Amino acid sequence: MEPRIDGFDHQRVPVGGGVALHTAVGGSGSPVVLLHGFPQTHLMWRHVAADLAADHTVIVPDLRGYGASDKPAEAGENYSKRTMAADVVALARAFGHERFALAGHDRGALVAFRAGLDHPDRISRLAVLDVLPTLDMWEVMHGASAAVGFHLYLMAQPPGLPERMISAAPDDFFGHFLDVWTRDPAALPAEVRAAYLKASREAVDSIVADYRASAGVDIAHDEEDRRAGNRLRMPVTVLQQDWGAALGYDAAAVWREWAGDLDHRTVTCGHFMPEESPAEVTAALRELLARPEAAS
């Protein structure tokens, strides 16, 4: 039996367009939605979710295209972050919440960022873990240092080649990131690692579609917001590794362009923060949840 978040119920929730998201939900109180990253599932939030459930309703889905959620074919904007953000709003509404706090890691953080821009009336507070907005990410990737993001370029290629290459050795491909992005291998126990690899090898096409969208339509959406001067209106917390030092940019300055009410922190753990340093992440989220909401 695959590992689960202790004390949480698991269900499939329709979010529109014929798509249902596998979702773990637990606790009671003001709602918090947690979105996972690559190459993972909702399970990555197991420690943080269990802690927050003491005084919050915690909703933890697999993103469309990942885990046990539906994986529609790549067509139109099926994997744009705008579409995936709309999934999240619909999911919260299905549980009776029109307004909620939202935290995302990695791919889920890009979905959370887009939700904050597209649905400011729905998102009370926003946490982003270890990404830059899509437009800024591509702008800072250059030269030999960009090799760290080779997968971004691979999965940006037209349909066919990246899917075949990854499918030829999926455990090697996805396992590479689980290995090199963590500083504490014990944070990913064997049964959890196996669950991530299984989920990823069964979702190659949809994972690639998610990444391909970030080399196309997602950039266009970010550019539209930048031209219009749209910014995140809610309190925002960003937790990042020191990618700015590694790639030569000022991470906090990048985020200040998008968020006025910003708490930007550099962490010392690896990429998989909610598993490597759950107490630090939980504390940061609790501090965010205690900050006053932005005036409407």
Side-chain angles (χ1 to χ4, degrees):
M1 184 175 178
E2 294 186 0
R4 297 163 69 94
I5 302 178
D6 290 341
F8 276 55
D9 295 325
H10 292 252
Q11 53 191 281
R12 288 177 56 79
V13 182
V15 292
V19 172
L21 302 185
H22 175 260
T23 304
V25 60
S28 62
S30 61
V32 181
V33 178
L34 306 175
L35 306 179
H36 67 85
F38 163 91
Q40 298 173 292
T41 69
H42 74 282
L43 189 61
M44 62 155 285
W45 286 106
R46 60 196 179 280
H47 306 303
V48 175
D51 189 307
L52 291 178
D55 43 16
H56 294 278
T57 298
V58 185
I59 302 167
V60 199
D62 289 336
L63 298 169
R64 72 159 58 198
Y66 288 80
S69 288
D70 287 343
K71 302 170 180 63
E74 181 178 7
E77 293 194 8
N78 268 351
Y79 287 94
S80 75
K81 303 308 151 300
R82 172 158 289 162
T83 298
M84 296 169 82
D87 286 348
V88 175
V89 171
L91 177 68
R93 183 179 293 120
F95 284 105
H97 305 296
E98 293 294 330
R99 190 166 171 81
F100 56 96
L102 179 61
H105 173 260
D106 189 82
R107 306 306 293 173
L110 298 178
V111 176
F113 171 75
R114 176 47 52 193
L117 289 172
D118 285 0
H119 306 279
D121 56 330
R122 306 295 188 195
I123 312 302
S124 63
R125 298 168 182 83
L126 181 68
V128 170
L129 276 61
D130 220 27
V131 296
L132 289 178
T134 299
L135 180 60
D136 300 282
M137 174 192 72
W138 288 112
E139 289 177 350
V140 304
M141 301 287 281
H142 53 80
S145 63
V148 70
F150 79 93
H151 60 301
L152 302 172
Y153 296 91
L154 171 62
M155 290 191 276
Q157 302 311 308
L161 180 62
E163 291 90 340
R164 290 195 299 274
M165 291 178 68
I166 295 168
S167 294
D171 286 6
D172 290 337
F173 180 76
F174 296 115
H176 166 80
F177 302 103
L178 294 174
D179 292 338
V180 303
W181 286 351
T182 182
R183 296 183 185 176
D184 178 15
L188 301 178
E191 65 276 13
V192 171
R193 190 178 192 277
Y196 292 155
L197 291 178
K198 179 179 184 294
S200 296
R201 84 171 74 96
E202 293 175 352
V204 171
D205 288 1
S206 52
I207 290 173
V208 174
D210 168 35
Y211 273 86
R212 190 178 285 121
S214 287
V217 65
D218 293 342
I219 295 175
H221 292 159
D222 282 6
E223 287 175 335
E224 290 169 4
D225 282 309
R226 179 175 283 180
R227 286 193 298 269
N230 293 336
R231 304 179 80 214
L232 297 166
R233 303 179 197 171
M234 66 290 298
V236 176
T237 292
V238 175
L239 304 179
Q240 290 189 288
Q241 297 180 87
D242 201 0
W243 289 112
L247 298 176
Y249 65 92
D250 185 337
V254 169
W255 276 106
R256 280 194 293 271
E257 292 297 314
W258 290 103
D261 185 353
L262 175 68
D263 178 7
H264 186 279
R265 307 182 187 188
T266 302
V267 302
T268 58
C269 63
H271 177 65
F272 302 113
M273 300 170 189
E275 293 169 289
E276 295 188 63
S277 191
E280 181 178 11
V281 172
T282 302
L285 292 182
R286 287 192 175 281
E287 289 178 31
L288 171 64
L289 292 167
R291 282 158 61 187
E293 290 191 39
S296 58

